[in-house]
Amino acid sequence: MSVDWILVADGSRARVFHLRQAEPPVLATLTTLVHPESRESRQERESAEPGRFQMQGGARTAVEPHTDPQQLEEVRFAAEVADHLERARQEHRFDRLIVFAPPRFLGVLRKAWSPLLQQSIVREVDKDFAHETEAQLAERLTPHVAALNA
């Protein structure tokens, strides 16, 4: 019997569960990763940074970053999540992985997966369940888990 893990994540929080096959599925929390920097608003982030100005024709203007800082933080967090899962995969702690994440963050995660970790992923669902309780998750996951065993 394979060992199944479930990743439920968004851009600032990720929870990893061990899935016990039952009716309804039983989830046991293994890890919770948080990245509060991904939640900071642009205003909060900019007020914490020293001001950056550029001279244009004698007038000082604020320099806008070329990349959205929140997106950069999400990329960093996705790399952290991918690294955590890659280590677990190398230690043979799971066989199959099911991933639930909102569409935008799922795309960021896909770029962070190693090819071998990608092979362990048996299902990706582009839904935001990151703030659901374990009981709510177990209920929502039932059809997805059933599809794996069909």
Side-chain angles (χ1 to χ4, degrees):
M1 178 174 240
S2 63
V3 177
D4 296 331
W5 278 16
I6 293 179
L7 170 67
V8 178
D10 66 12
S12 64
R13 181 176 183 208
R15 292 183 289 167
V16 179
F17 300 94
H18 176 253
L19 172 66
R20 293 195 187 109
Q21 300 289 343
E23 195 54 47
V26 178
L27 300 176
T29 302
L30 298 172
T31 308
T32 299
L33 303 168
V34 293
H35 192 76
E37 296 86 353
S38 296
R39 287 189 177 264
E40 289 180 351
S41 71
R42 184 177 202 165
Q43 184 177 6
E44 290 171 323
R45 200 173 295 108
E46 287 175 354
S47 67
E49 295 176 357
R52 295 178 300 188
F53 293 91
Q54 179 178 15
M55 297 297 287
Q56 286 186 343
R60 293 177 59 188
T61 60
V63 176
E64 289 293 321
H66 295 298
T67 306
D68 178 12
Q70 184 175 9
Q71 288 177 331
L72 286 175
E73 291 302 330
E74 286 183 356
V75 168
R76 287 183 182 119
F77 184 53
E80 180 182 338
V81 171
D83 184 56
H84 175 78
L85 292 170
E86 180 60 29
R87 283 193 311 265
R89 185 200 63 76
Q90 290 173 356
E91 294 167 1
H92 306 286
R93 294 177 54 207
F94 69 90
D95 299 307
R96 302 187 308 181
L97 180 66
I98 304 167
V99 178
F100 293 86
R104 186 177 94 182
F105 191 62
L106 184 57
V108 176
L109 284 169
R110 285 177 181 143
K111 292 176 183 175
W113 304 139
S114 72
L116 291 174
L117 180 59
Q118 182 68 43
Q119 290 176 9
S120 300
I121 299 170
V122 294
R123 190 167 188 89
E124 293 178 340
V125 180
D126 60 351
K127 299 285 184 189
D128 188 356
F129 294 150
H131 301 287
E132 304 268 336
T133 66
E134 285 185 33
Q136 290 170 323
L137 280 171
E139 191 176 303
R140 291 191 182 269
L141 301 180
T142 299
H144 301 286
V145 172
L148 287 179
N149 299 322

